[in-house]
Amino acid sequence: MQEYAVVVGGGLAGAEAAWQLARRGISVILYEMRPKVMTGAHRTGNLAELVCSNSLGSQDLSTASGLLQEELAILGSLLLTVARNCSVPAGTALAVDREMFAITVTEYLQREPLIEIRREEVLQIPTDPFVIIASGPLTSPSLSRSLEEVAGMGQLFFYDAIAPLVEADSIREEVCFRGSRYQKGELPGGDYWNCPLSREEYFRFIEALRTAECFPLPEWEKEQLRFFEGCLPIEELARRDPLAPAFGPMRPAGLRDPRTGKKPFAVVQLRQDNVACSLLNMVGFQTNLKWSEQARVFRLIPGLETARFARFGQMHRNTFLCSPKLLEPTLEFRGRPGLFFAGQITGVEGYVGNAGTGLVAAINLARRIWGIPPRVFPRETMLGSLLWYVTHAGPETFQPMKANFGLLPPLETNLRDRELRHRALVERALQTMREFAAEMALEEQAVARLSKKGALIGS
Ligand SMILES: Cc1cc2nc3c(=O)[nH]c(=O)nc-3n(C[C@H](O)[C@H](O)[C@H](O)COP(=O)(O)OP(=O)(O)OC[C@H]3O[C@@H](n4cnc5c(N)ncnc54)[C@H](O)[C@@H]3O)c2cc1C
């Protein structure tokens, strides 16, 4: 019998995955529960509906999102092609007419003879041999329960509580000091950078934090966040009691500023976030402030006046796996060959990144069907780096991640000028992706020739 693939979820990742599988000659059953069963954020029954902003990020090749878009173009992404065809004027950003975008993707998939779209909620992980789960941040409750059973208790999260990430070379090292509370750490100087605050600086910062503007939360999400007391946004903590942060994430206990020999009134700790040491996580600073407000308020912290943020903080409903424990960088589930995950559920953030995971999962699932091993995308590419991060970050503190230059391995020659460095990283990424895509295309052509002769599974 002809092998087939099951894709659960017709969002950005699932739609891209279904299309890529069909392009490779594989029959697909695509399950999408809308419009019969809706999520709290989607409004239509269209596939690939954009739930919020209509922007897919900057197209400028000197940005991480521009690079990611170009990599997807090299790989032949359907969603990127449709987005470019449905774009509306938005400066350097790739913004789309959301309705036209979703309808066009839906039509492409409906017209594809190898794709059968079933409008049904999938209640548990299908037992078919080749499956991609792409049910997104708002995965339905019964499927979530099934995922938790397979992943293990505590390995599926329901909210993200993301603290901002700062580019390490943008902090003022002459103001911050290294150290761990009570010298408990692995690195000789201490595992953290600490930004010290005097009493006056602390209260000035807290006042700005308490009065800063937050993202408005939809009613359904407010309800659910009320149960999420264990991980409060830093601004909520400060609003409840101005001193609460000083006794919580900003407590200076066990720390002395080596330059004064004194304990600061409060500290903000920055923890290394990636192996390349280029990103620092603001410990305990999960936040729902608007991004412009985060930049304004957090730059009041001594040492962060010139900080560049690789990722801003955020908090919202988001179902995602503890991917560092559960997934290979090929997006295959460690406990079951043939089962792949794609989209936001893997911990990748952003529309384009999520479409990219659909592409990767489809390529690798096709390879499983053909009986050849899945491929790990090169780390020099933005897509490869993103997948490497979500499958290799620390599992205890794992939170979703979007494309940024800090994820890429450093260049052989260190370029201090940021613009030159980014340009060199982009050139290396695109060259690597072109070579990798060409290599995979050759392999796929060889598979197609063999399958015509009936020598492969699926023929
Ligand atoms: C409120 C909100 C706002 C967001 N705003 C942005 C933004 O502005 N920019 C951005 O880049 N990202 C945003 N995101 C993240 C965004 O969701 C992702 O970037 C992207 O949509 C994820 O793609 P996906 O394919 O993983 O999930 P989705 O696009 O959500 O697709 C998952 C699909 O699976 C379906 N599904 C779920 N459970 C089942 C089931 N059991 N059976 C069958 N079908 C099922 C859903 O109906 C949905 O169509 C937002 C997320 C949320 C929740």
Side-chain angles (χ1 to χ4, degrees):
M1 187 196 138
Q2 178 84 26
E3 294 292 355
Y4 65 95
V6 170
V7 177
V8 180
L12 299 186
E16 182 73 52
W19 175 258
Q20 295 297 336
L21 285 162
R23 258 193 62 197
R24 289 167 173 78
I26 293 163
S27 303
V28 182
I29 303 171
L30 171 62
Y31 287 96
E32 170 51 59
M33 65 180 186
R34 291 177 293 117
K36 277 191 202 152
V37 182
M38 295 298 282
T39 73
H42 292 84
R43 295 282 163 267
T44 73
N46 294 329
L47 304 176
E49 179 182 333
L50 302 176
V51 283
C52 187
S53 161
N54 67 333
S55 170
L56 278 72
S58 175
Q59 305 187 72
D60 187 338
L61 259 185
S62 64
T63 64
S65 84
L67 169 59
L68 192 57
Q69 288 174 25
E70 204 45 43
E71 290 183 3
L72 260 66
I74 293 171
L75 293 166
S77 156
L78 170 71
L79 267 63
L80 190 78
T81 308
V82 174
R84 285 178 171 171
N85 290 339
C86 298
S87 64
V88 294
T92 54
L94 174 58
V96 299
D97 176 316
R98 68 175 70 240
E99 211 183 331
M100 193 194 288
F101 172 76
I103 289 175
T104 311
V105 173
T106 308
E107 284 173 355
Y108 263 101
L109 267 60
Q110 278 169 343
R111 279 201 302 260
E112 169 51 59
L114 285 176
I115 300 176
E116 177 193 340
I117 303 171
R118 294 190 187 165
R119 298 287 183 166
E120 280 171 42
E121 179 186 357
V122 171
L123 300 175
Q124 39 188 301
I125 300 182
T127 51
D128 307 74
F130 301 111
V131 177
I132 295 177
I133 305 283
S135 46
L138 306 173
T139 295
S140 71
S142 43
L143 182 58
S144 296
R145 276 192 294 278
S146 166
L147 289 174
E148 200 163 25
E149 272 165 32
V150 171
M153 283 304 279
Q155 305 305 317
L156 184 71
F157 309 116
F158 298 96
Y159 294 92
D160 58 25
I162 294 183
L165 280 185
V166 175
E167 290 183 24
D169 63 359
S170 70
I171 67 165
R172 291 179 60 211
E173 292 187 11
E174 69 278 18
V175 176
C176 311
F177 66 92
R178 284 205 80 104
S180 306
R181 289 200 173 95
Y182 305 106
Q183 287 95 44
K184 285 185 187 157
E186 288 173 21
L187 299 176
D191 291 356
Y192 297 83
W193 279 106
N194 299 281
C195 306
L197 289 92
S198 65
R199 168 182 272 274
E200 198 191 351
E201 286 162 342
Y202 175 80
F203 283 108
R204 188 172 130 231
F205 168 66
I206 292 293
E207 189 47 30
L209 191 58
R210 281 158 61 99
T211 52
E213 221 184 319
C214 288
F215 278 115
L217 284 176
E219 285 306 314
W220 59 271
E221 210 163 299
K222 270 189 210 157
E223 265 308 298
Q224 291 171 328
L225 272 179
R226 234 189 281 152
F227 300 104
F228 197 50
E229 285 279 320
C231 199
L232 284 175
I234 186 77
E235 63 276 9
E236 177 61 20
L237 207 60
R239 279 183 203 131
R240 288 184 180 188
D241 179 347
L243 274 171
F247 287 98
M250 294 177 74
R251 70 189 184 285
L255 286 167
R256 279 191 192 278
D257 186 336
R259 282 157 305 198
T260 60
K262 290 191 184 143
K263 184 165 89 168
F265 184 78
V267 291
V268 173
Q269 291 203 295
L270 307 171
R271 182 183 52 224
Q272 183 182 328
D273 199 79
N274 62 340
V275 188
C277 305
S278 56
L279 299 174
L280 298 169
N281 194 307
M282 293 178 69
V283 180
F285 267 61
Q286 54 275 7
T287 172
N288 197 35
L289 294 188
K290 285 192 166 167
W291 289 0
S292 55
E293 290 288 78
Q294 291 186 39
R296 179 180 69 81
V297 174
F298 296 152
R299 284 189 186 129
L300 294 174
I301 296 166
L304 298 189
E305 295 88 342
T306 52
R308 288 190 308 271
F309 294 91
R311 175 188 78 190
F312 285 107
Q314 64 184 44
M315 290 193 76
H316 61 61
R317 172 77 208 277
N318 191 358
T319 312
F320 63 100
L321 294 167
C322 185
S323 297
K325 275 195 180 163
L326 302 171
L327 299 184
E328 299 292 345
T330 57
L331 293 179
E332 194 166 35
F333 188 70
R334 293 210 171 120
R336 185 180 137 184
L339 173 63
F340 289 79
F341 284 82
Q344 187 109 1
I345 203 157
T346 65
V348 166
E349 278 276 332
Y351 295 146
V352 179
N354 280 309
T357 60
L359 218 152
V360 172
I363 289 174
N364 282 329
L365 177 56
R367 297 174 70 93
R368 270 274 175 253
I369 288 180
W370 296 327
I372 56 174
R375 299 269 323 243
V376 175
F377 275 56
R379 284 197 61 197
E380 289 74 18
T381 64
M382 189 54 82
L383 190 54
S385 258
L386 203 47
L387 295 177
W388 190 263
Y389 180 89
V390 297
T391 52
H392 288 80
E396 287 77 27
T397 53
F398 178 59
Q399 287 292 325
M401 175 59 80
K402 68 187 291 188
N404 68 76
F405 281 111
L407 298 176
L408 293 170
L411 296 159
E412 272 175 31
T413 328
N414 185 28
L415 294 171
R416 287 196 71 77
D417 182 281
R418 193 163 163 256
E419 211 179 304
L420 286 179
R421 191 170 64 241
H422 284 187
R423 207 180 299 156
L425 287 169
V426 167
E427 275 169 23
R428 184 184 67 177
L430 292 179
Q431 184 58 25
T432 309
M433 188 58 101
R434 279 189 207 103
E435 286 166 11
F436 184 69
E439 231 176 80
M440 283 195 306
L442 282 178
E443 285 176 348
E444 291 186 5
Q445 280 162 18
V447 165
R449 276 197 302 276
L450 281 172
S451 97
K452 270 197 193 125
K453 290 185 197 156
L456 273 162
I457 309 170
S459 52

